[in-house]
Amino acid sequence: MGISRRSALKVMAAATATMVGTTLGVHQTQAAAVVPRPDAVGMLYDATRCIGCKACMVACNEANDVTPDTSASGGLWDMPLDLNEHAKNIIKLYRDPATGAQSFVKRQCMHCLDPACVGACMLGAMKKGDKGIVSYDPDLCIGCRYCEMGCPFNVPKFEWSKAIPKLVKCELCRHRSQGPACCEVCPVGAVIYGKRTDLLADAHQRLAQNPGRYVPKVYGEHEAGGTQVLYLAHVDFEKLGLPAYSDEPVPRRVRTIQDTIYKGFVAPVALYGLLAAVMLRNREKPDSTKREDGQP
Ligand code: SF4
Ligand code: SF4
Ligand code: SF4
């Protein structure tokens, strides 16, 4: 099967972007700490309120036209084991083996203030855009999966089952005028949507009013440079799968690695670009030969 002109152009664009990215990476490594933009929106998930009904998972699939993952249930019901190409949003249950303490935890893209996926993407397919939402453009994606490898929260998932795969991740339902579907359907207000500053103030108020109810911190306020999805919980965040990152934005470390990789990757990608151009030319050649010979 021949390579399309579009694919060839993408590969050649990758070569160019890689060279540009190398330069940018050095510059960005030296950037200052990220200050949240004033219009940044996000979600506040309070694990102490969540009843594990998974209505948010169903609503997420419906709102995003995602086929439910029934593989772990023999086809009976949506039961993904983790985020995957069929699950942009998942509710998991943690049970402490020693104390028996339990907690649900909601997982989806964290919409980082300084997203490592954006820093890792050579072609700008991952973008931090309107209201700080981290979006994905499949038309710019060449499937290199650098974003998947760079994400500190293990969020973007590749569509391995498709012939033309995309990356799958929560985009905060940016296509919906009424905001995230998961927040809209939650029957107990365990996950709410709003401006990050308001959500943060709300979270701190809950901590102050119920000091014995919570682990005394808002996860995402500072972790990994800060995120637009914030968490409150009564169980250690690490046990819920939320890593104990420092305040340093993760992209700084990623960019350092990226700079090294890209320096070595410029030549191979440029070569692939050249190969794609040759393949494209060869694919077009037989057609013109036929026309000249008058053969069918
Ligand atoms: S959680 Fe991962 S995919 Fe989401 S914005 Fe942060 S780095 Fe990107
Ligand atoms: S914001 Fe939308 S895409 Fe993201 S988890 Fe909620 S319903 Fe799913
Ligand atoms: S809809 Fe609300 S209560 Fe139900 S699982 Fe999702 S976050 Fe928890």
Side-chain angles (χ1 to χ4, degrees):
M1 198 174 77
I3 188 168
S4 70
R5 180 186 296 275
R6 181 182 172 81
S7 300
L9 286 172
K10 275 187 174 183
V11 174
M12 286 184 277
T16 309
T18 299
M19 287 180 261
V20 172
T22 305
T23 312
L24 280 177
V26 173
H27 174 68
Q28 287 171 338
T29 304
Q30 296 157 355
V34 181
V35 177
R37 45 192 290 170
D39 66 341
V41 293
M43 295 194 282
L44 171 61
Y45 171 77
D46 187 334
T48 70
R49 295 187 180 188
C50 180
I51 56 173
C53 66
K54 299 190 177 183
C56 54
M57 286 174 57
V58 176
C60 179
N61 281 354
E62 283 179 1
N64 292 281
D65 202 19
V66 174
T67 309
D69 176 5
T70 57
S71 57
S73 68
L76 281 177
W77 53 78
D78 188 9
M79 223 175 107
L81 299 178
D82 211 333
L83 293 177
N84 65 36
E85 63 183 283
H86 300 294
K88 295 184 176 193
N89 170 45
I90 187 172
I91 296 290
K92 300 172 90 171
L93 171 66
Y94 169 78
R95 183 178 288 123
D96 191 308
T99 65
Q102 294 191 165
S103 175
F104 293 105
V105 61
K106 184 178 185 295
R107 300 301 311 277
Q108 73 294 296
C109 175
M110 301 290 282
H111 296 277
C112 305
L113 295 182
D114 189 358
C117 59
V118 173
C121 182
M122 297 184 286
L123 297 173
M126 289 286 180
K127 204 173 293 174
K128 191 157 180 72
D130 200 25
K131 300 175 184 170
I133 295 171
V134 178
S135 64
Y136 169 68
D137 185 345
D139 288 338
L140 295 176
C141 177
I142 57 167
C144 66
R145 296 173 52 223
Y146 274 15
C147 57
E148 193 178 348
M149 291 181 264
C151 174
F153 297 102
N154 195 20
V155 168
K157 300 297 174 194
F158 198 57
E159 289 182 314
W160 291 105
S161 62
K162 298 209 173 149
I164 303 175
K166 302 189 304 259
L167 267 297
V168 174
K169 77 164 202 76
C170 158
E171 296 181 66
L172 218 56
C173 284
R174 64 190 175 97
H175 62 292
R176 299 178 89 236
S177 56
Q178 62 272 54
C182 54
C183 300
E184 193 177 63
V185 300
C186 181
V188 291
V191 59
I192 57 173
Y193 170 73
K195 284 182 71 172
R196 186 179 186 269
T197 45
D198 296 340
L199 296 174
L200 202 49
D202 185 348
H204 278 291
Q205 192 175 27
R206 292 187 205 184
L207 289 179
Q209 288 175 347
N210 298 285
R213 182 180 173 117
Y214 297 105
V215 173
K217 90 170 178 183
V218 183
Y219 188 94
E221 182 172 12
H222 302 297
E223 283 74 14
T227 59
Q228 289 178 212
V229 175
L230 305 166
Y231 285 79
L232 289 173
H234 55 294
V235 169
D236 284 351
F237 293 105
E238 265 188 279
K239 290 180 176 172
L240 299 181
L242 297 164
Y245 288 123
S246 71
D247 296 2
E248 183 193 10
V250 171
R252 291 196 179 169
R253 273 173 274 151
V254 173
R255 282 173 195 139
T256 306
I257 299 166
Q258 178 185 322
D259 292 346
T260 311
I261 294 172
Y262 283 11
K263 271 174 191 155
F265 197 51
V266 167
V269 172
L271 179 62
Y272 289 146
L274 183 63
L275 284 172
V278 170
M279 289 168 75
L280 181 65
R281 197 196 64 175
N282 288 347
R283 195 187 68 143
E284 289 173 342
K285 205 172 178 180
D287 293 334
S288 54
T289 307
K290 277 179 196 169
R291 281 197 300 272
E292 282 169 13
D293 294 349
Q295 298 298 315

